[in-house]
Amino acid sequence: MSQLLLGCIADDFTGGTDLASTLVRGGMRTLQVIGVPQGPLPDDIDAVVIALKSRTVSPEEAVTQSLEALEWLRAAGCQQFFFKYCSTFDSTSRGNIGPVADALAEALNVSFAVACPAFPENKRTIFNGHLFVGDVLLSESGMRNHPLTPMTDSNLVRVLQQQTLKPVGLVAHSVVNKGAQAISTAFNSLIAQGRGYAIVDAIDDEDLYAIGTAVADHKLVTGGSGVALGLPENFRRAGKLGQSETASVL
């Protein structure tokens, strides 16, 4: 098997499919698998999406599943890793987004990662750290009454901070709107402040492309499938990615 560029861990199958489709549209030859692969995969793929069932299990089990997936992806030689969760940030005060992100970051020796579930195509946007579903705040949407992961707070900085001991910061849209270089500068400022994560505003695909460019050198990226829009071009600029587009599910 040729060396993989991007290794993705999705916390459910549907979200993994969305992510795979996003990468394919960007020109990455992408394979989605259900659970950690048990055998060899086809040659000539650029990205693998491992779809787990970890969104609503216990945080401990979610961490175990995710680390097993990461171990396989690292052994396969992936150069960057993506933790994909729902664009409505489905979680509780215990997790599973924070605990899994913490575990992946520790395993990869990463001290800082973005957290951007925005998916404007599906009307999920982030402004001033608050997640909107269409024209209403997440906390006022139908997700407020979800039986497993009721989302009663739309402030993602606050939501994620409940799930991690790492300080969580914000890159507001006033910065994102200035482009990738401004976003990178904001990341460096947050790192200097000791922040472990940054919620990043995004209200349209142009924002997501800029964020994607800004995380080109980040070993770990977390978010919804929308933020993956900008990742293929990073590999293309580096001369590692061609134009062939194929996707499949194993």
Side-chain angles (χ1 to χ4, degrees), residues 22-47:
T22 297
L23 296 174
V24 167
R25 290 199 304 269
M28 298 193 82
R29 297 165 296 185
T30 304
L31 180 74
Q32 181 179 358
V33 296
I34 301 172
V36 179
Q38 299 300 310
L41 299 184
D43 291 335
D44 260 349
I45 54 177
D46 305 307

Side-chain angles (χ1 to χ4, degrees), residues 9 13 17 35 40-41 44 66 143 148 173 176 181 210 249:
I9 301 168
F13 175 76
T17 301
L41 299 184
D44 260 349
S66 301
M143 285 300 300
L148 298 177
H173 191 259
V176 174
Q181 185 56 56
V249 177

